[in-house]
Amino acid sequence: MKKRKIISLSLLLVGVVLSVAFLLRIEFPQGFDAYFKREYYNQFGPMAISVELVIAGYYFFIGHRKTNFALALFGFTALLDPLFDQIGLFDSIVPLYGTIILSICGLLCLWLALANPFELKRLSRLIAILSLVLGIFVELFFNYF
C-alpha cells in the first residue's frame, strides 16, 4: 500500500509538472480563424499525454478499478510518440526532455498495468489491445490527422 502511494504520487507530480511545462509552450494565436487550423491543435498533443499520466496516477493512488487500463493507455501513448517519430510517420513536437521522461514513465506504467504487482483489477487481453488502439488513435489525432 505504501509503495503504491509513493509511486502514484511520483507519477502525479511528474504529470502535473509536465502538463504545466507543455501548457506554457502553447502559442495562442491572434484572430478567430487561426483557432481552426491544424497547427494550433497539434500543440496540445504533449499536454494530452501528460494529462493521461495525471489521470493514471490519480487512479493508481485511489486504487480505482480502471487503474490498469489508464496505466496501459498512458504507457502505449507515451511510447508510441517517439516510435512513430523514429519510423518517420510524423515529426513529434514533444521536446527531448519530455520524450525521455514520458518514455521512462510509460515503461513503468506498462509494467505496472501488465504485470499487476499491486493486485488491482487485472487487464484482459481485449482491454490491453483496446488501450493500444486508443493510444495509436491519440497519437495520430494530434500529429497526423
Side-chain angles (χ1 to χ4, degrees):
M1 179 80 154
K2 191 174 183 180
K3 285 182 183 179
R4 189 187 82 196
K5 299 276 183 179
I6 291 170
I7 293 170
S8 64
L9 286 175
S10 300
L11 292 174
L12 276 168
L13 180 66
V14 169
V16 168
V17 168
L18 286 177
S19 294
V20 170
F22 294 149
L23 180 65
L24 293 175
R25 291 177 49 104
I26 294 175
E27 296 176 13
F28 295 97
Q30 299 291 331
F32 188 68
D33 59 335
Y35 286 97
F36 296 103
K37 294 186 178 172
R38 184 177 148 215
E39 294 82 26
Y40 173 70
Y41 290 104
N42 286 352
Q43 299 179 86
F44 290 94
M47 198 170 98
I49 298 170
S50 59
V51 168
E52 282 182 8
L53 177 59
V54 170
I55 293 168
Y58 175 71
Y59 277 3
F60 193 46
F61 183 77
I62 64 172
H64 194 271
R65 62 186 187 96
K66 299 287 184 184
T67 299
N68 285 334
F69 174 73
L71 288 170
L73 177 62
F74 164 73
F76 284 126
T77 306
L79 293 174
L80 285 171
D81 187 72
L83 177 72
F84 286 165
D85 183 41
Q86 286 298 312
I87 64 173
L89 191 58
F90 57 79
D91 290 329
S92 176
I93 62 169
V94 178
L96 182 61
Y97 70 89
T99 301
I100 293 168
I101 294 170
L102 289 172
S103 295
I104 292 168
C105 290
L107 287 171
L108 173 67
C109 288
L110 269 180
W111 177 76
L112 289 170
L114 299 175
N116 198 20
F118 294 102
E119 297 178 2
L120 300 168
K121 185 180 178 199
R122 198 152 179 86
L123 272 183
S124 67
R125 286 190 174 109
L126 178 66
I127 299 300
I129 292 171
L130 178 65
S131 63
L132 173 63
V133 169
L134 285 174
I136 291 170
F137 178 75
V138 167
E139 278 304 308
L140 293 179
F141 178 78
F142 283 109
N143 292 297
Y144 196 70
F145 294 131

